[in-house]
Amino acid sequence: MSLWIAIGATAVGCYLVKFLGLSAPAGVLERPLVKRLAALLPVALLAALTAQQTFSDGHHLMLDAKAAGVAAAVVALLLRAPFLLIVAVAVAVTAGVRALGG
């Protein structure tokens, strides 16, 4: 039964957060700081999710083929490669490291 309580509490919490966002006054949403934070928040969350999925295995730090792929993507990004080439480099390096037993 406690699982259903947790699910219900989460649903109510999500609804309240959504409601608070929709009921915010327009003047608050037009402030430059709020606009800047709203633009940067998805990028920060995606970066945090990528880091957690790449460098963690539960509660432990892990460096494996995924880390090598991300490192290769960063190098390609610094060399100003097109986005699809960056993805292809990351995939190829990750696959290569895994094929070599890493």
Side-chain angles (χ1 to χ4, degrees), residues 25-50:
V28 172
L29 300 176
E30 294 299 322
R31 293 181 182 164
L33 178 64
V34 174
K35 284 185 176 183
R36 199 170 8 177
L37 288 176
L40 294 176
L41 189 61
V43 174
L45 289 174
L46 184 59
L49 179 63
T50 302

Side-chain angles (χ1 to χ4, degrees), residues 10-37:
T10 302
V12 168
C14 288
Y15 179 79
L16 288 175
V17 168
K18 184 83 163 179
F19 179 74
L20 289 174
L22 292 173
S23 64
V28 172
L29 300 176
E30 294 299 322
R31 293 181 182 164
L33 178 64
V34 174
K35 284 185 176 183
R36 199 170 8 177
L37 288 176

Side-chain angles (χ1 to χ4, degrees), residues 34-75:
V34 174
K35 284 185 176 183
R36 199 170 8 177
L37 288 176
L40 294 176
L41 189 61
V43 174
L45 289 174
L46 184 59
L49 179 63
T50 302
Q52 191 272 334
Q53 291 292 318
T54 302
F55 301 114
S56 140
D57 182 22
H59 299 287
H60 303 288
L61 180 64
M62 167 179 80
L63 295 175
D64 62 354
K66 293 183 287 186
V70 170
V74 167
V75 170

Side-chain angles (χ1 to χ4, degrees), residues 64-102:
D64 62 354
K66 293 183 287 186
V70 170
V74 167
V75 170
L77 182 65
L78 291 174
L79 294 174
R80 304 213 183 257
F83 178 72
L84 289 178
L85 182 60
I86 293 171
V87 172
V89 166
V91 168
V93 169
T94 302
V97 170
R98 285 185 178 164
L100 293 173

